[in-house]
Amino acid sequence: MITTAQETEGAGVPRLNVGEWIETGFGWVNDNLGALFDLIRTVVSTLTGGLDDLLNTPDALLLAVAFSLLGWLVKDWKLGLLSIVMLVFVISIDQWENAMTTLALVAVAAAIALVIAIPLGIWAARSDRVSGAIRPVMDLMQTMPAFVWLVPVVTLFSIGVTSGVVATIIFALPPGVRFTELGIRGVDAEVVEAGHAFGSTPGQILVRIQLPLALKTIMAGVNQVIMLALSMAVIAGLVGAGGLGGEVMRAIGSLDIGLAFEAGLAVVVLAIYLDRVTSAIGHGGMAVGRMSKLLRRGRPRRSPEPAPAKTT
């Protein structure tokens, strides 16, 4: 074992056993908080498995049509047509079930990441001290190589889908925090001051002024969280997360070029679909797209009220 008194090679600097300290810390956490990690494992595996079963229960073609209709509703017929073509392609290469497993993992990980990231970003936007404290943590989470996060999560949660989800949450969370803070801080100060002048409370200003004006920036962060979650979900195949990541790892183990490209193309299809849909929602696709037109068309028209009679 290397001690702190030993010097690094050729530098004359004492060796710091950072790795041993971190390993000892994780060992203590695992020994003392094992029940908590068992609970997290149960909840995450239940959510992911339930969503996976839900996505794989309907007929593949029927679900592909439903996804394409969603694309049509949030934007236009072009996105709907592109979606059905791409999703039918995934069915044709026999990767639909794996794609839905990956989609379930991404959905659960992205949802949990956003539940943590958006409130944390709001808190950071309202406090410079909090912003300064979490910035180095976000830098560490975002710049650490993705494969490194697989080691501690496997130590805490063992091999399986939970490790893949937790590693994905860690890797995908920082953009949600950063974009939320950036969007709220970018709101015009004069608009906020006007809200204070009219007697609005800080909570009312946040809900009625800052969040609506920062929505596009926050949705850009949501888009980035989903894209990073998808990329990490493939890497999570190394720890038994399954889905398309598992297929990629199986292809690497057997040097199966065809399987690798089929799984990779299915990942590309999911990435394009999720990116287009979330981008359309972030740019007001729900407000100006086909859904809004259908809703307006279904509303009964109000008859004009009669003008009040003039009194003499």
Side-chain angles (χ1 to χ4, degrees), residues 118-147:
I118 292 178
L120 197 57
I122 294 172
W123 192 18
R126 298 168 73 94
S127 171
D128 291 336
R129 183 175 299 177
V130 173
S131 177
I134 67 173
R135 187 176 295 116
V137 178
M138 295 297 107
D139 291 339
L140 174 67
M141 293 170 65
Q142 199 165 20
T143 56
M144 183 72 73
F147 287 93

PDB file of all heavy atoms in Angstrom, residues 118-147:
ATOM      1  N   ILE A 118     -34.354  21.687 -11.377  1.00  0.00           N
ATOM      2  CA  ILE A 118     -35.089  22.945 -11.522  1.00  0.00           C
ATOM      3  C   ILE A 118     -35.227  23.680 -10.187  1.00  0.00           C
ATOM      4  O   ILE A 118     -34.928  24.883 -10.106  1.00  0.00           O
ATOM      5  CB  ILE A 118     -36.447  22.691 -12.204  1.00  0.00           C
ATOM      6  CG1 ILE A 118     -36.222  22.260 -13.658  1.00  0.00           C
ATOM      7  CG2 ILE A 118     -37.325  23.943 -12.147  1.00  0.00           C
ATOM      8  CD1 ILE A 118     -37.481  21.942 -14.423  1.00  0.00           C
ATOM      9  N   PRO A 119     -35.663  23.026  -9.095  1.00  0.00           N
ATOM     10  CA  PRO A 119     -35.669  23.759  -7.812  1.00  0.00           C
ATOM     11  C   PRO A 119     -34.282  24.228  -7.386  1.00  0.00           C
ATOM     12  O   PRO A 119     -34.139  25.330  -6.829  1.00  0.00           O
ATOM     13  CB  PRO A 119     -36.226  22.728  -6.825  1.00  0.00           C
ATOM     14  CG  PRO A 119     -37.008  21.776  -7.661  1.00  0.00           C
ATOM     15  CD  PRO A 119     -36.259  21.685  -8.958  1.00  0.00           C
ATOM     16  N   LEU A 120     -33.253  23.403  -7.660  1.00  0.00           N
ATOM     17  CA  LEU A 120     -31.893  23.802  -7.293  1.00  0.00           C
ATOM     18  C   LEU A 120     -31.450  25.013  -8.113  1.00  0.00           C
ATOM     19  O   LEU A 120     -30.797  25.937  -7.600  1.00  0.00           O
ATOM     20  CB  LEU A 120     -30.937  22.626  -7.508  1.00  0.00           C
ATOM     21  CG  LEU A 120     -29.572  22.694  -6.824  1.00  0.00           C
ATOM     22  CD1 LEU A 120     -29.727  22.859  -5.323  1.00  0.00           C
ATOM     23  CD2 LEU A 120     -28.775  21.438  -7.139  1.00  0.00           C
ATOM     24  N   GLY A 121     -31.819  25.045  -9.401  1.00  0.00           N
ATOM     25  CA  GLY A 121     -31.498  26.195 -10.238  1.00  0.00           C
ATOM     26  C   GLY A 121     -32.222  27.448  -9.790  1.00  0.00           C
ATOM     27  O   GLY A 121     -31.664  28.557  -9.815  1.00  0.00           O
ATOM     28  N   ILE A 122     -33.484  27.309  -9.375  1.00  0.00           N
ATOM     29  CA  ILE A 122     -34.234  28.459  -8.850  1.00  0.00           C
ATOM     30  C   ILE A 122     -33.580  28.995  -7.586  1.00  0.00           C
ATOM     31  O   ILE A 122     -33.423  30.209  -7.399  1.00  0.00           O
ATOM     32  CB  ILE A 122     -35.700  28.049  -8.578  1.00  0.00           C
ATOM     33  CG1 ILE A 122     -36.414  27.724  -9.899  1.00  0.00           C
ATOM     34  CG2 ILE A 122     -36.442  29.153  -7.832  1.00  0.00           C
ATOM     35  CD1 ILE A 122     -37.795  27.130  -9.718  1.00  0.00           C
ATOM     36  N   TRP A 123     -33.197  28.072  -6.699  1.00  0.00           N
ATOM     37  CA  TRP A 123     -32.521  28.470  -5.459  1.00  0.00           C
ATOM     38  C   TRP A 123     -31.211  29.201  -5.763  1.00  0.00           C
ATOM     39  O   TRP A 123     -30.898  30.232  -5.148  1.00  0.00           O
ATOM     40  CB  TRP A 123     -32.286  27.237  -4.607  1.00  0.00           C
ATOM     41  CG  TRP A 123     -31.855  27.524  -3.191  1.00  0.00           C
ATOM     42  CD1 TRP A 123     -31.977  28.701  -2.508  1.00  0.00           C
ATOM     43  CD2 TRP A 123     -31.231  26.608  -2.287  1.00  0.00           C
ATOM     44  NE1 TRP A 123     -31.478  28.588  -1.230  1.00  0.00           N
ATOM     45  CE2 TRP A 123     -31.021  27.301  -1.063  1.00  0.00           C
ATOM     46  CE3 TRP A 123     -30.866  25.265  -2.376  1.00  0.00           C
ATOM     47  CZ2 TRP A 123     -30.430  26.701   0.042  1.00  0.00           C
ATOM     48  CZ3 TRP A 123     -30.281  24.660  -1.271  1.00  0.00           C
ATOM     49  CH2 TRP A 123     -30.064  25.375  -0.084  1.00  0.00           C
ATOM     50  N   ALA A 124     -30.435  28.669  -6.728  1.00  0.00           N
ATOM     51  CA  ALA A 124     -29.165  29.300  -7.081  1.00  0.00           C
ATOM     52  C   ALA A 124     -29.383  30.681  -7.704  1.00  0.00           C
ATOM     53  O   ALA A 124     -28.582  31.593  -7.493  1.00  0.00           O
ATOM     54  CB  ALA A 124     -28.395  28.398  -8.047  1.00  0.00           C
ATOM     55  N   ALA A 125     -30.469  30.835  -8.477  1.00  0.00           N
ATOM     56  CA  ALA A 125     -30.746  32.129  -9.096  1.00  0.00           C
ATOM     57  C   ALA A 125     -31.134  33.187  -8.073  1.00  0.00           C
ATOM     58  O   ALA A 125     -30.908  34.381  -8.283  1.00  0.00           O
ATOM     59  CB  ALA A 125     -31.863  31.978 -10.133  1.00  0.00           C
ATOM     60  N   ARG A 126     -31.690  32.761  -6.949  1.00  0.00           N
ATOM     61  CA  ARG A 126     -32.145  33.694  -5.924  1.00  0.00           C
ATOM     62  C   ARG A 126     -31.098  33.956  -4.851  1.00  0.00           C
ATOM     63  O   ARG A 126     -31.303  34.821  -3.998  1.00  0.00           O
ATOM     64  CB  ARG A 126     -33.427  33.166  -5.283  1.00  0.00           C
ATOM     65  CG  ARG A 126     -34.582  33.046  -6.268  1.00  0.00           C
ATOM     66  CD  ARG A 126     -35.725  32.253  -5.677  1.00  0.00           C
ATOM     67  NE  ARG A 126     -36.440  33.001  -4.662  1.00  0.00           N
ATOM     68  CZ  ARG A 126     -37.532  33.734  -4.888  1.00  0.00           C
ATOM     69  NH1 ARG A 126     -38.027  33.798  -6.117  1.00  0.00           N
ATOM     70  NH2 ARG A 126     -38.128  34.381  -3.927  1.00  0.00           N
ATOM     71  N   SER A 127     -29.992  33.205  -4.881  1.00  0.00           N
ATOM     72  CA  SER A 127     -28.962  33.374  -3.858  1.00  0.00           C
ATOM     73  C   SER A 127     -27.580  33.219  -4.485  1.00  0.00           C
ATOM     74  O   SER A 127     -27.243  32.148  -5.014  1.00  0.00           O
ATOM     75  CB  SER A 127     -29.151  32.346  -2.740  1.00  0.00           C
ATOM     76  OG  SER A 127     -28.063  32.355  -1.840  1.00  0.00           O
ATOM     77  N   ASP A 128     -26.779  34.269  -4.419  1.00  0.00           N
ATOM     78  CA  ASP A 128     -25.413  34.202  -4.953  1.00  0.00           C
ATOM     79  C   ASP A 128     -24.563  33.219  -4.159  1.00  0.00           C
ATOM     80  O   ASP A 128     -23.673  32.574  -4.706  1.00  0.00           O
ATOM     81  CB  ASP A 128     -24.762  35.593  -4.914  1.00  0.00           C
ATOM     82  CG  ASP A 128     -25.406  36.554  -5.901  1.00  0.00           C
ATOM     83  OD1 ASP A 128     -25.997  36.085  -6.895  1.00  0.00           O
ATOM     84  OD2 ASP A 128     -25.323  37.781  -5.672  1.00  0.00           O
ATOM     85  N   ARG A 129     -24.827  33.096  -2.866  1.00  0.00           N
ATOM     86  CA  ARG A 129     -24.052  32.170  -2.041  1.00  0.00           C
ATOM     87  C   ARG A 129     -24.314  30.726  -2.466  1.00  0.00           C
ATOM     88  O   ARG A 129     -23.377  29.922  -2.578  1.00  0.00           O
ATOM     89  CB  ARG A 129     -24.423  32.369  -0.568  1.00  0.00           C
ATOM     90  CG  ARG A 129     -23.625  31.513   0.388  1.00  0.00           C
ATOM     91  CD  ARG A 129     -23.957  31.861   1.827  1.00  0.00           C
ATOM     92  NE  ARG A 129     -23.624  33.264   2.119  1.00  0.00           N
ATOM     93  CZ  ARG A 129     -23.867  33.850   3.295  1.00  0.00           C
ATOM     94  NH1 ARG A 129     -24.450  33.165   4.271  1.00  0.00           N
ATOM     95  NH2 ARG A 129     -23.531  35.105   3.477  1.00  0.00           N
ATOM     96  N   VAL A 130     -25.584  30.399  -2.695  1.00  0.00           N
ATOM     97  CA  VAL A 130     -25.916  29.049  -3.144  1.00  0.00           C
ATOM     98  C   VAL A 130     -25.319  28.795  -4.529  1.00  0.00           C
ATOM     99  O   VAL A 130     -24.785  27.711  -4.805  1.00  0.00           O
ATOM    100  CB  VAL A 130     -27.441  28.848  -3.160  1.00  0.00           C
ATOM    101  CG1 VAL A 130     -27.808  27.506  -3.788  1.00  0.00           C
ATOM    102  CG2 VAL A 130     -27.996  28.946  -1.754  1.00  0.00           C
ATOM    103  N   SER A 131     -25.409  29.787  -5.401  1.00  0.00           N
ATOM    104  CA  SER A 131     -24.854  29.645  -6.750  1.00  0.00           C
ATOM    105  C   SER A 131     -23.356  29.365  -6.707  1.00  0.00           C
ATOM    106  O   SER A 131     -22.848  28.492  -7.418  1.00  0.00           O
ATOM    107  CB  SER A 131     -25.132  30.913  -7.559  1.00  0.00           C
ATOM    108  OG  SER A 131     -24.556  30.825  -8.848  1.00  0.00           O
ATOM    109  N   GLY A 132     -22.641  30.103  -5.848  1.00  0.00           N
ATOM    110  CA  GLY A 132     -21.200  29.882  -5.722  1.00  0.00           C
ATOM    111  C   GLY A 132     -20.862  28.535  -5.126  1.00  0.00           C
ATOM    112  O   GLY A 132     -19.823  27.953  -5.445  1.00  0.00           O
ATOM    113  N   ALA A 133     -21.750  28.010  -4.272  1.00  0.00           N
ATOM    114  CA  ALA A 133     -21.481  26.724  -3.628  1.00  0.00           C
ATOM    115  C   ALA A 133     -21.707  25.555  -4.573  1.00  0.00           C
ATOM    116  O   ALA A 133     -20.948  24.577  -4.555  1.00  0.00           O
ATOM    117  CB  ALA A 133     -22.353  26.582  -2.382  1.00  0.00           C
ATOM    118  N   ILE A 134     -22.765  25.642  -5.411  1.00  0.00           N
ATOM    119  CA  ILE A 134     -23.081  24.493  -6.254  1.00  0.00           C
ATOM    120  C   ILE A 134     -22.335  24.512  -7.588  1.00  0.00           C
ATOM    121  O   ILE A 134     -22.263  23.481  -8.260  1.00  0.00           O
ATOM    122  CB  ILE A 134     -24.592  24.400  -6.523  1.00  0.00           C
ATOM    123  CG1 ILE A 134     -25.073  25.571  -7.392  1.00  0.00           C
ATOM    124  CG2 ILE A 134     -25.375  24.310  -5.235  1.00  0.00           C
ATOM    125  CD1 ILE A 134     -26.516  25.437  -7.832  1.00  0.00           C
ATOM    126  N   ARG A 135     -21.757  25.665  -7.951  1.00  0.00           N
ATOM    127  CA  ARG A 135     -21.079  25.725  -9.243  1.00  0.00           C
ATOM    128  C   ARG A 135     -19.928  24.733  -9.354  1.00  0.00           C
ATOM    129  O   ARG A 135     -19.839  24.006 -10.355  1.00  0.00           O
ATOM    130  CB  ARG A 135     -20.591  27.158  -9.525  1.00  0.00           C
ATOM    131  CG  ARG A 135     -20.026  27.329 -10.936  1.00  0.00           C
ATOM    132  CD  ARG A 135     -19.644  28.763 -11.223  1.00  0.00           C
ATOM    133  NE  ARG A 135     -20.809  29.628 -11.220  1.00  0.00           N
ATOM    134  CZ  ARG A 135     -21.007  30.609 -10.349  1.00  0.00           C
ATOM    135  NH1 ARG A 135     -20.111  30.839  -9.392  1.00  0.00           N
ATOM    136  NH2 ARG A 135     -22.070  31.363 -10.426  1.00  0.00           N
ATOM    137  N   PRO A 136     -19.010  24.645  -8.373  1.00  0.00           N
ATOM    138  CA  PRO A 136     -17.939  23.632  -8.504  1.00  0.00           C
ATOM    139  C   PRO A 136     -18.466  22.203  -8.502  1.00  0.00           C
ATOM    140  O   PRO A 136     -17.883  21.318  -9.136  1.00  0.00           O
ATOM    141  CB  PRO A 136     -17.041  23.908  -7.289  1.00  0.00           C
ATOM    142  CG  PRO A 136     -17.866  24.700  -6.345  1.00  0.00           C
ATOM    143  CD  PRO A 136     -18.805  25.485  -7.176  1.00  0.00           C
ATOM    144  N   VAL A 137     -19.575  21.958  -7.782  1.00  0.00           N
ATOM    145  CA  VAL A 137     -20.163  20.614  -7.778  1.00  0.00           C
ATOM    146  C   VAL A 137     -20.693  20.269  -9.171  1.00  0.00           C
ATOM    147  O   VAL A 137     -20.486  19.159  -9.682  1.00  0.00           O
ATOM    148  CB  VAL A 137     -21.289  20.519  -6.733  1.00  0.00           C
ATOM    149  CG1 VAL A 137     -21.929  19.139  -6.769  1.00  0.00           C
ATOM    150  CG2 VAL A 137     -20.754  20.834  -5.343  1.00  0.00           C
ATOM    151  N   MET A 138     -21.366  21.235  -9.814  1.00  0.00           N
ATOM    152  CA  MET A 138     -21.868  21.012 -11.175  1.00  0.00           C
ATOM    153  C   MET A 138     -20.709  20.822 -12.155  1.00  0.00           C
ATOM    154  O   MET A 138     -20.784  19.996 -13.071  1.00  0.00           O
ATOM    155  CB  MET A 138     -22.729  22.193 -11.623  1.00  0.00           C
ATOM    156  CG  MET A 138     -24.011  22.397 -10.836  1.00  0.00           C
ATOM    157  SD  MET A 138     -25.177  21.029 -10.966  1.00  0.00           S
ATOM    158  CE  MET A 138     -24.993  20.297  -9.324  1.00  0.00           C
ATOM    159  N   ASP A 139     -19.621  21.582 -11.962  1.00  0.00           N
ATOM    160  CA  ASP A 139     -18.443  21.416 -12.819  1.00  0.00           C
ATOM    161  C   ASP A 139     -17.878  20.009 -12.696  1.00  0.00           C
ATOM    162  O   ASP A 139     -17.511  19.373 -13.699  1.00  0.00           O
ATOM    163  CB  ASP A 139     -17.369  22.443 -12.446  1.00  0.00           C
ATOM    164  CG  ASP A 139     -17.769  23.864 -12.804  1.00  0.00           C
ATOM    165  OD1 ASP A 139     -18.658  24.034 -13.671  1.00  0.00           O
ATOM    166  OD2 ASP A 139     -17.206  24.810 -12.217  1.00  0.00           O
ATOM    167  N   LEU A 140     -17.809  19.513 -11.453  1.00  0.00           N
ATOM    168  CA  LEU A 140     -17.292  18.159 -11.226  1.00  0.00           C
ATOM    169  C   LEU A 140     -18.189  17.119 -11.885  1.00  0.00           C
ATOM    170  O   LEU A 140     -17.713  16.203 -12.570  1.00  0.00           O
ATOM    171  CB  LEU A 140     -17.188  17.889  -9.726  1.00  0.00           C
ATOM    172  CG  LEU A 140     -16.800  16.462  -9.327  1.00  0.00           C
ATOM    173  CD1 LEU A 140     -15.367  16.162  -9.753  1.00  0.00           C
ATOM    174  CD2 LEU A 140     -16.957  16.266  -7.820  1.00  0.00           C
ATOM    175  N   MET A 141     -19.504  17.254 -11.708  1.00  0.00           N
ATOM    176  CA  MET A 141     -20.438  16.277 -12.258  1.00  0.00           C
ATOM    177  C   MET A 141     -20.422  16.278 -13.785  1.00  0.00           C
ATOM    178  O   MET A 141     -20.593  15.228 -14.415  1.00  0.00           O
ATOM    179  CB  MET A 141     -21.850  16.573 -11.754  1.00  0.00           C
ATOM    180  CG  MET A 141     -22.028  16.365 -10.261  1.00  0.00           C
ATOM    181  SD  MET A 141     -23.604  17.003  -9.646  1.00  0.00           S
ATOM    182  CE  MET A 141     -24.754  15.925 -10.487  1.00  0.00           C
ATOM    183  N   GLN A 142     -20.224  17.468 -14.378  1.00  0.00           N
ATOM    184  CA  GLN A 142     -20.325  17.577 -15.830  1.00  0.00           C
ATOM    185  C   GLN A 142     -19.022  17.228 -16.542  1.00  0.00           C
ATOM    186  O   GLN A 142     -19.042  16.753 -17.681  1.00  0.00           O
ATOM    187  CB  GLN A 142     -20.760  18.991 -16.209  1.00  0.00           C
ATOM    188  CG  GLN A 142     -21.323  19.125 -17.609  1.00  0.00           C
ATOM    189  CD  GLN A 142     -22.054  20.436 -17.801  1.00  0.00           C
ATOM    190  OE1 GLN A 142     -21.860  21.397 -17.057  1.00  0.00           O
ATOM    191  NE2 GLN A 142     -22.898  20.499 -18.815  1.00  0.00           N
ATOM    192  N   THR A 143     -17.886  17.471 -15.905  1.00  0.00           N
ATOM    193  CA  THR A 143     -16.603  17.250 -16.578  1.00  0.00           C
ATOM    194  C   THR A 143     -15.974  15.902 -16.258  1.00  0.00           C
ATOM    195  O   THR A 143     -15.065  15.466 -16.977  1.00  0.00           O
ATOM    196  CB  THR A 143     -15.608  18.367 -16.204  1.00  0.00           C
ATOM    197  OG1 THR A 143     -15.464  18.419 -14.781  1.00  0.00           O
ATOM    198  CG2 THR A 143     -16.094  19.713 -16.703  1.00  0.00           C
ATOM    199  N   MET A 144     -16.433  15.252 -15.199  1.00  0.00           N
ATOM    200  CA  MET A 144     -15.909  13.913 -14.888  1.00  0.00           C
ATOM    201  C   MET A 144     -16.288  12.954 -16.017  1.00  0.00           C
ATOM    202  O   MET A 144     -17.434  12.960 -16.485  1.00  0.00           O
ATOM    203  CB  MET A 144     -16.499  13.409 -13.571  1.00  0.00           C
ATOM    204  CG  MET A 144     -15.959  12.061 -13.135  1.00  0.00           C
ATOM    205  SD  MET A 144     -14.257  12.143 -12.571  1.00  0.00           S
ATOM    206  CE  MET A 144     -14.452  12.958 -10.980  1.00  0.00           C
ATOM    207  N   PRO A 145     -15.350  12.159 -16.514  1.00  0.00           N
ATOM    208  CA  PRO A 145     -15.686  11.195 -17.570  1.00  0.00           C
ATOM    209  C   PRO A 145     -16.862  10.315 -17.181  1.00  0.00           C
ATOM    210  O   PRO A 145     -16.983   9.878 -16.035  1.00  0.00           O
ATOM    211  CB  PRO A 145     -14.393  10.370 -17.724  1.00  0.00           C
ATOM    212  CG  PRO A 145     -13.312  11.293 -17.271  1.00  0.00           C
ATOM    213  CD  PRO A 145     -13.913  12.128 -16.177  1.00  0.00           C
ATOM    214  N   ALA A 146     -17.737  10.091 -18.152  1.00  0.00           N
ATOM    215  CA  ALA A 146     -18.990   9.389 -17.867  1.00  0.00           C
ATOM    216  C   ALA A 146     -18.753   8.003 -17.276  1.00  0.00           C
ATOM    217  O   ALA A 146     -19.496   7.554 -16.389  1.00  0.00           O
ATOM    218  CB  ALA A 146     -19.818   9.285 -19.143  1.00  0.00           C
ATOM    219  N   PHE A 147     -17.729   7.307 -17.744  1.00  0.00           N
ATOM    220  CA  PHE A 147     -17.477   5.945 -17.269  1.00  0.00           C
ATOM    221  C   PHE A 147     -17.113   5.913 -15.784  1.00  0.00           C
ATOM    222  O   PHE A 147     -17.324   4.901 -15.115  1.00  0.00           O
ATOM    223  CB  PHE A 147     -16.350   5.307 -18.084  1.00  0.00           C
ATOM    224  CG  PHE A 147     -16.751   4.941 -19.478  1.00  0.00           C
ATOM    225  CD1 PHE A 147     -16.542   5.813 -20.524  1.00  0.00           C
ATOM    226  CD2 PHE A 147     -17.349   3.712 -19.748  1.00  0.00           C
ATOM    227  CE1 PHE A 147     -16.921   5.484 -21.819  1.00  0.00           C
ATOM    228  CE2 PHE A 147     -17.722   3.372 -21.032  1.00  0.00           C
ATOM    229  CZ  PHE A 147     -17.515   4.253 -22.075  1.00  0.00           C
TER     230      PHE A 147
END
